[in-house]
Amino acid sequence: MADNVLLWEVEVRCERLDSVLGCCESCLCLCGPAVGIFFLHFSSFHCVCARTPRTTMTSMLPIDIHYKKMLGWLIDRGKISQGYNKQYAAIRTRLADALKSLPPYETLAAYVKQALNNDTLPVENFHYFHAKRLLELCVQAVDSDPSKTTGKNLFNSYKDPDLAKWDSIVYDYERDNIYLGEAARILNANAEYEIPAIKDMLTQVEKRIGDIDRRQAEYDKSIKDSHASLQRKCAGLKIEGKSYRSELIARSVELRPLLNRIHRDVQLPAVQKALDFLLAFALFQNCGESTSESDSTDSAALRNDRFPHLLKLFDTPVPEDNVVVMGQTAMDETAADEIDWGMLDVASAEPSSANGDAGVEIDWSAMLEVESTPGPDQSEGGGGGEAIDWSSMLEVAEDSTAGDTADSTKEEVLLLSSATRRAVMNELMEVRSFFQHRLYEMADDTNAQSLAKAPSFISMETVEGVTAHFDAIQVIIDAFNRTELQQLLAIHTGGGGFDRILNSLQSEDLHCSKLGKLANKLSNERSELSSKTRSLREKLSKIRESTIDLKTKVESSLSSQYDGRAIKIVGEINTLLK
């Protein structure tokens, strides 16, 4: 019965708690073993000693405040009033005016600049804790200034107006806990807007930098390929690429030696031998077995009939390579080298007097008379002074020009004519086709009987001999088809071909220049974006540091209002601040 009563008393003194706490020694001594049995059987109940103060585990747990709900949490618990916004707006107005008229101390200006990260952060980030620190720095600055004082009046207000102004701002912040509402607004704004916005801008800038790097690599590759293509074209044209037009025109002097070389190759014995073999074979096909190797009359007629241009190249001597081709004459050089200064000789040859004095004087009257002579009538009339006959110099010049023209006609390069080149090329193609067909026939043994009655130098010709004839003709054709010759001919004519070559070089150069400008533009843009990235990173780092500092100070301030109980501001803000 006693045990049941004791157990009932224990149950009356027990209550259900969230956490199990250990009992005090006096309670265990009072309750005895029954309490121990009770605890083992009912582990969720706790016996509270009547002689000890009632303490719970909940009073020691930290208080978690979500940053989004912090403002409402403060209003619900009476920390700030419902209409704190009006007081806060008045304080912010006074704070903005105070920042515009700071005391003339370098430490204060430097601190404000540091707090706002060189004016990159909004003024709203200058909060109560900054103002409080600024008041401390202002007190130190005024204390070190002998002309001012940090003393207070009867109303516990600073006598210095600057100190009084900032002290009033700090006091208004602390009254009614306005600074806690401001801190809640700043924490929410930084976590919801400022930090995510800076991160998004940073992501976009970094993405743009990545695109620029990719395009820059493409431009660099294109520029490299274009430069290589331009260099190949210049190398193919044998020019340096500094001045396209002048360098191309300067190459026109190479055309004559190249055509003369082809002319000499046409006159080689191997080509003539190949042509003689073709003509003899043609005579045999036309006249039958009566053809002989000594029959030259019909061969010459056939040669003149079928290959007149090749025959002309055979008979025409190759001109010298040093004769100018591009319409220039030797007059340009001889006229400069052979200037007749006889006017001075005439003047100096006349004696000054009939007595034959040792000194010789120049009689300028003769020159004056020459200069005053208006035309050829006076020069023929034999007037007072002897005039210079300019007609003789003109006749010499005309004779020289005529002689040069005759020489240039005699030394004419036959292959400079496009009609002649086409005709020679057609005749060479005909000769080559003949030897191609002849090689095909010689590969077939059944065709050997058709040449049984042919002259020996035709029937006994071997495949090697015909191949040699074919190669001799092919060398001339390849020389005509060489790219260098086509380029020089285009440059020489100066028509559409020359314009196409010049436009090709200029367009390639323009393309390289355009790509270079685009690459430079991207490089400049990347430099700007890189500096913007650095500034955004610095701004993000600064706003994170200021938000962490504000969060820590708010937690400490609230903890002091709850008798040292731990306060934690939780939510995504902690993730953003890492």
Side-chain angles (χ1 to χ4, degrees):
M1 185 65 181
D3 291 338
N4 292 334
V5 172
L6 181 61
L7 181 60
W8 173 256
E9 292 177 356
V10 172
E11 289 178 353
V12 171
R13 293 177 178 273
C14 291
E15 66 178 358
R16 191 177 183 87
L17 302 176
D18 293 335
S19 301
V20 178
L21 297 178
C23 296
C24 60
E25 294 180 358
S26 59
C27 182
L28 288 175
C29 294
L30 176 64
C31 295
V35 177
I37 295 172
F38 176 80
F39 280 152
L40 292 175
H41 189 69
F42 303 96
S43 60
S44 62
F45 287 89
H46 173 61
C47 179
V48 181
C49 180
R51 296 182 300 171
T52 58
R54 189 171 184 176
T55 59
T56 61
M57 186 61 183
T58 55
S59 62
M60 302 303 297
L61 291 176
I63 300 175
D64 294 338
I65 307 173
H66 199 279
Y67 75 97
K68 290 184 179 180
K69 303 177 181 179
M70 183 178 176
L71 193 59
W73 188 90
L74 292 171
I75 294 175
D76 292 342
R77 283 154 182 78
K79 298 300 179 182
I80 58 177
S81 62
Q82 288 282 354
Y84 88 100
N85 283 325
K86 295 181 180 180
Q87 296 174 306
Y88 176 66
I91 295 173
R92 291 304 307 182
T93 303
R94 293 169 54 199
L95 178 63
D97 294 338
L99 287 175
K100 294 178 181 178
S101 58
L102 285 173
Y105 299 112
E106 295 182 358
T107 54
L108 303 183
Y111 178 74
V112 173
K113 191 174 182 180
Q114 178 185 1
L116 297 178
N117 192 24
N118 296 326
D119 297 331
T120 59
L121 296 179
V123 183
E124 287 75 11
N125 278 27
F126 194 90
H127 45 72
Y128 156 75
F129 295 100
H130 291 144
K132 188 176 181 179
R133 177 57 182 164
L134 188 65
L135 176 61
E136 296 174 359
L137 294 176
C138 190
V139 170
Q140 296 176 4
V142 171
D143 192 24
S144 61
D145 189 353
S147 62
K148 294 185 179 181
T149 178
T150 58
K152 295 184 178 182
N153 54 23
L154 295 175
F155 300 99
N156 199 27
S157 177
Y158 286 103
K159 296 179 181 180
D160 185 80
D162 294 325
L163 292 178
K165 179 170 54 178
W166 282 100
D167 183 61
S168 175
I169 292 173
V170 172
Y171 174 76
D172 290 341
Y173 262 124
E174 293 175 349
R175 187 177 59 181
D176 298 333
N177 293 324
I178 300 298
Y179 73 95
L180 292 177
E182 179 191 53
R185 291 166 63 104
I186 293 176
L187 290 176
N188 185 61
N190 289 348
E192 289 294 314
Y193 305 106
E194 293 293 335
I195 294 178
I198 295 175
K199 281 188 173 182
D200 290 342
M201 291 176 61
L202 194 58
T203 302
Q204 293 177 2
V205 171
E206 289 177 348
K207 182 180 178 181
R208 177 59 181 165
I209 289 176
D211 294 340
I212 289 176
D213 290 339
R214 177 180 55 80
R215 292 179 60 187
Q216 187 78 35
E218 294 176 358
Y219 281 144
D220 291 341
K221 184 178 181 300
S222 299
I223 291 173
K224 184 178 179 181
D225 294 341
S226 298
H227 275 300
S229 176
L230 183 60
Q231 290 176 358
R232 285 194 300 270
K233 288 183 179 180
C234 292
L237 293 171
K238 296 182 179 180
I239 60 176
E240 296 181 3
K242 296 179 179 179
S243 178
Y244 301 129
R245 180 179 293 274
S246 60
E247 291 179 6
L248 288 174
I249 293 175
R251 282 206 62 204
S252 62
V253 297
E254 303 176 13
L255 178 61
R256 183 186 178 92
L258 190 59
L259 293 176
N260 289 342
R261 191 178 307 119
I262 297 175
H263 194 168
R264 293 188 189 95
D265 292 341
V266 171
Q267 293 179 350
L268 290 175
V271 177
Q272 295 184 6
K273 187 177 180 180
L275 194 60
D276 292 340
F277 179 83
L278 185 152
L279 294 173
F281 194 91
L283 287 175
F284 168 72
Q285 293 290 337
N286 294 333
C287 302
E289 56 182 335
S290 62
T291 303
S292 63
E293 189 176 1
S294 61
D295 191 359
S296 60
T297 303
D298 294 339
S299 177
L302 185 61
R303 181 197 296 261
N304 293 332
D305 183 41
R306 297 187 61 180
F307 307 108
H309 297 87
L310 283 176
L311 180 62
K312 187 175 181 180
L313 289 179
F314 288 149
D315 298 338
T316 303
V318 180
E320 297 295 332
D321 294 340
N322 57 358
V323 178
V324 181
V325 177
M326 297 290 290
Q328 298 177 1
T329 61
M331 172 65 185
D332 298 334
E333 297 180 1
T334 57
D337 295 338
E338 300 178 1
I339 298 176
D340 187 7
W341 300 100
M343 174 173 62
L344 298 179
D345 297 338
V346 172
S348 61
E350 295 181 358
S352 59
S353 63
N355 298 330
D357 296 336
V360 179
E361 296 182 0
I362 299 175
D363 187 2
W364 298 102
S365 60
M367 292 189 65
L368 294 175
E369 291 173 0
V370 170
E371 293 177 357
S372 62
T373 304
D377 296 332
Q378 286 185 345
S379 62
E380 293 176 359
E386 184 177 358
I388 299 176
D389 187 8
W390 297 100
S391 61
S392 60
M393 182 175 291
L394 296 176
E395 291 173 0
V396 172
E398 291 174 359
D399 293 342
S400 174
T401 305
D404 289 339
T405 305
D407 291 341
S408 63
T409 303
K410 184 174 64 177
E411 296 288 343
E412 180 184 4
V413 179
L414 297 178
L415 295 178
L416 276 176
S417 172
S418 59
T420 303
R421 287 196 305 273
R422 283 194 299 269
V424 171
M425 192 67 177
N426 291 335
E427 293 174 3
L428 289 173
M429 295 293 291
E430 181 182 352
V431 175
R432 186 183 69 173
S433 299
F434 164 76
F435 285 112
Q436 280 181 332
H437 187 70
R438 183 66 191 133
L439 287 172
Y440 176 76
E441 290 179 345
M442 295 179 71
D444 189 2
D445 295 337
T446 58
N447 296 323
Q449 298 178 358
S450 62
L451 298 178
K453 297 180 181 181
S456 59
F457 73 93
I458 295 178
S459 59
M460 298 301 294
E461 187 68 65
T462 62
V463 176
E464 290 77 8
V466 176
T467 303
H469 297 330
F470 175 83
D471 292 340
I473 300 301
Q474 186 63 44
V475 168
I476 308 300
I477 294 175
D478 292 341
F480 274 111
N481 291 330
R482 284 178 60 187
T483 305
E484 181 181 5
L485 178 61
Q486 303 302 324
Q487 294 171 350
L488 291 176
L489 289 172
I491 295 171
H492 174 75
T493 56
F498 176 76
D499 292 338
R500 283 192 295 272
I501 295 174
L502 185 61
N503 291 338
S504 175
L505 294 173
Q506 291 176 345
S507 62
E508 194 73 37
D509 194 4
L510 182 63
H511 182 61
C512 293
S513 178
K514 184 177 179 180
L515 289 176
K517 291 180 180 178
L518 292 175
N520 292 334
K521 184 178 180 181
L522 285 180
S523 179
N524 296 333
E525 184 180 358
R526 194 190 188 286
S527 300
E528 295 176 358
L529 291 178
S530 297
S531 61
K532 186 176 182 180
T533 301
R534 287 192 296 269
S535 64
L536 285 175
R537 289 185 184 278
E538 293 175 359
K539 184 177 181 180
L540 180 61
S541 176
K542 183 64 179 179
I543 199 170
R544 275 176 171 170
E545 291 177 1
S546 62
T547 305
I548 291 173
D549 181 63
L550 178 61
K551 175 176 172 290
T552 303
K553 290 179 178 179
V554 169
E555 290 174 346
S556 176
S557 179
L558 284 174
S559 177
S560 64
Q561 296 186 20
Y562 279 88
D563 298 329
R565 189 171 179 180
I567 303 294
K568 291 184 179 178
I569 299 176
V570 297
E572 295 84 357
I573 188 172
N574 295 318
T575 305
L576 293 173
L577 297 179
K578 289 182 180 179

